């Protein structure tokens, strides 16, 4: 994914909230809906965008589907943005 597509995927406030919720844990759509207080179709739409961007992993267990943020993809996207827009900075040297 290029920097612009990555930025579009993470640029929405609801998607940012979903990513924060799904970081380091698995949540079902209904759990995300309950925590965000938005409708199920809205959450499903945003999860689809994040899934297509490769930023969340989908796991089906029985009737439930769980989502988890793929932290490696998030970090790669952030590094790609930095490389594209600040190429003179050595990303590895920033602490």
């Amino acid at each position: 994914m290029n920097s612009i597509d990555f930025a579009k995927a993470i640029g929405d406030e609801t998607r940012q909230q979903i990513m924060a919720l799904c970081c380091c844990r698995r949540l079902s759509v209904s759990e995300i809906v309950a925590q965000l207080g938005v409708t199920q179709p809205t959450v499903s739409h945003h999860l689809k965008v994040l899934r297509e961007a490769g930023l969340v992993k989908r796991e089906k267990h029985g009737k439930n589907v769980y989502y988890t943020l793929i932290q490696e993809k998030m970090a790669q996207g952030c590094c790609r943005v930095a490389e594209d827009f600040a190429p003179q900075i050595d990303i590895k040297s920033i602490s």
Side-chain angles (χ1 to χ4, degrees):
M1 170 181 6
N2 66 42
S3 300
I4 294 171
D5 291 337
F6 174 77
K8 286 179 183 178
I10 67 166
D12 181 86
E13 184 177 354
T14 301
R15 288 195 284 275
Q16 291 171 12
Q17 292 172 336
I18 290 169
M19 289 184 295
L21 288 173
C22 293
C23 185
C24 302
R25 60 184 173 163
R26 295 181 325 161
L27 292 175
S28 68
V29 173
S30 60
E31 291 170 321
I32 297 168
V33 167
Q35 291 193 38
L36 292 183
V38 297
T39 66
Q40 182 272 325
T42 297
V43 169
S44 293
H45 164 75
H46 289 295
L47 285 167
K48 180 182 178 191
V49 171
L50 292 169
R51 210 172 52 248
E52 289 174 351
L55 296 173
V56 293
K57 178 171 58 171
R58 180 179 189 234
E59 295 179 30
K60 189 167 185 170
H61 293 277
K63 293 181 180 180
N64 293 320
V65 178
Y66 296 91
Y67 292 86
T68 306
L69 180 69
I70 304 172
Q71 295 178 17
E72 299 83 18
K73 293 286 188 177
M74 190 69 183
Q76 290 169 358
C78 290
C79 287
R80 188 170 301 114
V81 169
E83 290 168 359
D84 287 350
F85 296 103
Q88 293 82 14
I89 296 174
D90 181 10
I91 302 300
K92 293 174 186 145
S93 69
I94 298 174
S95 305

